[in-house]
Amino acid sequence: MSPNSQTRVSYLLFDGFSNMCLACAVEPLRAANNYAEAQLYRHQLVSLDGQPVQSSSGITIQPSQSLSELTNEDILFVVSGYNYKHYCDRKTLGAIRTAARSAKVIGGLDTGAWLLAAAGLLDGYEATIHWQELTLFEEAFSDITLSLDRFVIDRNRITCGGATSALDLMLSQVRQDQGEALALDVMNLFIYESHGQEHMSQRGARFAPFAARAPLVVAALEEMEKNIEEPVATDEIARRVNTSARTLDRAFTKEIGIPPGRYYLYIRLKTARSLIAETSQSMAEIAARTGFSSAATFSRAFTKQFGAPPRDFRRGRLSNAPIRS
């Protein structure tokens, strides 16, 4: 967009969207307008049918119109969060495809990339999604080039991960549209440093505030997350991060409160919990994908960690549980 021209941005919200993600996508545009003392960006919230939408935290939003009423948008963002697969039905995906034809650019925020992919709108493009869905996304959509970047702009497609990724994206958009000076004003308003963040992997960025204080722990956590299906011994993790097992144990106990082996198990079980909730894979398949020798071994570990067996979680009887020490 040329400087001082108005960019029309609409956000298509689905129940379960993240308030924080939406705020990080909208507020930089509002701030840019304020600093420029001009309506550089016009943003609006829409839903599939124009009816109210409820966020993951229970806050209800009244959209300004329905998706079918949109015409000639510069950017249309699809914003979904939890239960995004529930919306992968023919009617919804058809409506998204129709709307995409009248938008110059279409994007997905948080898990919105999944809906775009399911609608066939990301085939042949590079894209990313919220870091928790990266593995499933790659497996489900072989015609899409997966990126671990916080956000990806590939021609007229935009995708990004969670909340701060959306903030990085919008600051980048303001910088591209209106120049560095205005982007810097917006960035300073939120006391946020975005330079160099856009190509940091989502997984790495999650540990960024922790890295300065405990780089050894961060390095070990990255090794653990890379080795879910085929776990390695904590002694081997220590070797890979150039320390001793004893030093690693002390670092984890100090910074996280539990030994590295126990936290590693928690990471694997947390991954299993996501697979149970978001896929139809059998317990045996999930056990294998998270490094357990059998479904029975997996079930015992899961029950001990979360207080109920994995099958109960699939039936919706179990909520998120904190890590148990």
Side-chain angles (χ1 to χ4, degrees):
M1 304 300 166
S2 61
N4 299 321
S5 66
Q6 186 179 73
T7 301
R8 295 160 298 177
V9 184
S10 286
Y11 300 87
L12 170 61
L13 306 180
F14 287 89
D15 282 329
F17 74 91
S18 163
N19 285 309
M20 188 169 181
C21 184
L22 178 62
C24 285
V26 171
E27 287 300 307
L29 303 187
R30 186 272 306 166
N33 287 345
N34 287 353
Y35 276 115
E37 297 184 349
Q39 289 299 306
L40 303 177
Y41 298 94
R42 183 230 65 192
H43 64 267
Q44 63 178 343
L45 309 181
V46 302
S47 67
L48 204 61
D49 55 7
Q51 294 302 304
V53 184
Q54 191 171 77
S55 73
S56 58
S57 56
I59 296 176
T60 299
I61 297 289
Q62 176 60 63
S64 60
Q65 58 184 306
S66 67
L67 180 62
S68 62
E69 294 177 282
L70 288 185
T71 56
N72 301 318
E73 290 299 285
D74 290 308
I75 306 174
L76 171 62
F77 284 115
V78 176
V79 189
S80 59
Y82 295 111
N83 301 321
Y84 59 91
K85 289 186 180 178
H86 175 73
Y87 303 108
C88 291
D89 59 88
R90 182 178 299 179
K91 180 179 178 182
T92 300
L93 298 181
I96 292 173
R97 280 192 292 269
T98 299
R101 287 196 286 269
S102 64
K104 294 177 182 177
V105 176
I106 187 162
L109 306 182
D110 202 340
T111 60
W114 193 289
L115 297 182
L116 296 185
L121 295 171
L122 294 179
D123 289 353
Y125 288 85
E126 183 178 16
T128 192
I129 194 169
H130 190 282
W131 66 269
Q132 290 181 312
E133 313 303 327
L134 286 167
T135 300
L136 293 176
F137 189 75
E138 184 175 32
E139 293 175 353
F141 303 107
S142 58
D143 291 331
I144 298 170
T145 301
L146 179 70
S147 172
L148 302 183
D149 287 353
R150 293 163 65 76
F151 67 85
V152 175
I153 301 175
D154 185 355
R155 292 161 284 172
N156 63 339
R157 296 291 186 268
I158 301 174
T159 51
C160 87
T164 56
S165 299
L167 182 53
D168 288 335
L169 168 63
M170 302 318 288
L171 288 170
S172 174
Q173 189 72 44
V174 171
R175 184 177 297 113
Q176 174 184 305
D177 293 347
Q178 308 298 335
E180 185 65 49
L182 184 58
L184 185 61
D185 282 339
V186 175
M187 186 171 66
N188 287 337
L189 176 66
F190 297 112
I191 319 177
Y192 184 74
E193 173 57 67
S194 71
H195 288 295
Q197 296 285 337
E198 56 267 28
H199 296 299
M200 180 186 292
S201 77
Q202 291 191 59
R203 286 170 174 155
R206 289 186 296 120
F207 300 131
F210 195 47
R213 188 177 82 236
L216 183 61
V217 173
V218 169
L221 289 173
E222 290 176 341
E223 284 296 321
M224 291 175 184
E225 293 199 342
K226 287 190 295 186
N227 294 277
I228 299 293
E229 189 166 346
E230 297 182 4
V232 297
T234 52
D235 286 359
E236 173 60 17
I237 290 177
R239 187 193 67 78
R240 293 181 185 184
V241 299
N242 300 312
T243 192
S244 68
R246 185 176 180 182
T247 299
L248 187 64
D249 188 278
R250 284 200 301 265
F252 264 76
T253 301
K254 176 185 176 183
E255 299 295 341
I256 299 180
I258 60 174
R262 191 170 297 173
Y263 194 78
Y264 194 3
L265 175 62
Y266 173 65
I267 290 174
R268 291 162 55 205
L269 289 169
K270 200 168 52 166
T271 301
R273 187 172 61 183
S274 295
L275 292 171
I276 293 168
E278 298 169 5
T279 76
S280 58
Q281 293 175 8
S282 69
M283 295 305 166
E285 290 174 310
I286 292 172
R289 288 194 59 175
T290 51
F292 291 91
S293 59
S294 68
T297 303
F298 162 61
S299 183
R300 285 193 296 271
F302 190 97
T303 302
K304 183 178 180 180
Q305 178 66 58
F306 298 118
R311 293 189 186 281
D312 281 3
F313 182 76
R314 177 157 279 172
R315 297 183 188 118
R317 298 178 186 170
L318 182 63
S319 61
N320 288 348
I323 181 170
R324 297 187 178 192
S325 58

